[in-house]
Amino acid sequence: KKNDPNEEVAQRLLDFVTSEIGYDHNEAEETKFYSVQFMKKPNEVLYSKQAICGGLAITLASLLEQTNVDYKLLYLDHHLTIAVEGNYGNTNGLTFDFGGRNYSIAESTTPGFRIGQSILKKPIRVEDIRYVQRPGKTSKVYNAKTGKPVMQK
C-alpha cells in the first residue's frame, strides 16, 4: 500500500512535537493544586520547548491547521489529545469511527509515538473519550458516546 501523504504529514508533525517539546513535569505537578489549568499558547510552547498534555495537543493542532489533515481534539478526564483521520492500522486499539470517518489517536505526550501502532505505558482507551471537537469559528463540542453536539442553539 502506498502511504497517504496526509498520514505521513500527520506522523512527521507528531514526531516534531514529541521530539522537540518536552513534557513539563513541574507544570503538571503545579496543576494538581488548582481546579483550572493554565494553557500555554502554541507560540509559548514552541518558545519554552515544554508543556503538559493540553499545550502539546494544542501545538500539534496548530501545526495540523496548516495542512490538509483532518483532526479532532479529544477530551478525556484530566487529559487532552489529538486524533487524526486516516488508515494507520489499529495495532494499539486507538482507532475509532467518528461521523463515518476513521480517526487514530496521535499522542503528543509520548516521544516516538507511532500513530495506530504504539502502545502507551499509561493507557488511553477509546471508550474513555468524553468529548470530540474540531476547532474553528463554528466549532462544536460533541459527546463522544452519542455523536451529538453538547449544546445546540
Side-chain angles (χ1 to χ4, degrees):
K1 162 194 164 208
K2 185 178 179 200
N3 288 345
D4 181 306
N6 283 342
E7 292 172 16
E8 290 180 18
V9 167
Q11 184 64 58
R12 276 199 232 133
L13 289 175
L14 177 63
D15 291 345
F16 170 77
V17 170
T18 62
S19 66
E20 297 296 321
I21 304 166
Y23 186 83
D24 190 340
H25 294 281
N26 290 334
E27 186 179 344
E29 271 304 307
E30 289 173 12
T31 62
K32 290 180 181 179
F33 301 107
Y34 303 101
S35 58
V36 296
Q37 187 179 99
F38 299 99
M39 187 82 67
K40 288 180 185 174
K41 296 175 186 171
N43 63 322
E44 295 168 325
V45 171
L46 290 169
Y47 180 74
S48 69
K49 294 189 176 193
Q50 289 194 352
I52 56 176
C53 65
L56 292 164
I58 296 301
T59 300
L60 178 57
S62 177
L63 295 169
L64 289 167
E65 276 292 320
Q66 301 170 61
T67 71
N68 291 323
V69 177
D70 185 23
Y71 74 94
K72 305 285 187 238
L73 287 174
L74 305 179
Y75 299 86
L76 295 86
D77 285 337
H78 310 289
H79 191 59
L80 180 65
T81 192
I82 297 283
V84 290
E85 183 185 17
N87 295 308
Y88 297 90
N90 193 20
T91 306
N92 59 8
L94 298 177
T95 296
F96 60 97
D97 177 279
F98 188 78
R101 296 164 88 176
N102 229 18
Y103 291 89
S104 295
I105 291 177
E107 182 50 49
S108 56
T109 63
T110 305
F113 188 86
R114 306 304 303 164
I115 303 168
Q117 300 169 23
S118 293
I119 307 293
L120 295 167
K121 290 178 187 172
K122 184 178 178 185
I124 293 175
R125 299 177 321 154
V126 168
E127 49 273 5
D128 294 337
I129 300 168
R130 297 190 59 185
Y131 305 104
V132 177
Q133 180 185 26
R134 175 58 160 99
K137 288 184 180 183
T138 60
S139 65
K140 291 183 181 177
V141 176
Y142 294 89
N143 181 304
K145 308 291 183 254
T146 66
K148 295 188 169 135
V150 173
M151 295 187 66
Q152 294 187 5
K153 291 182 180 182

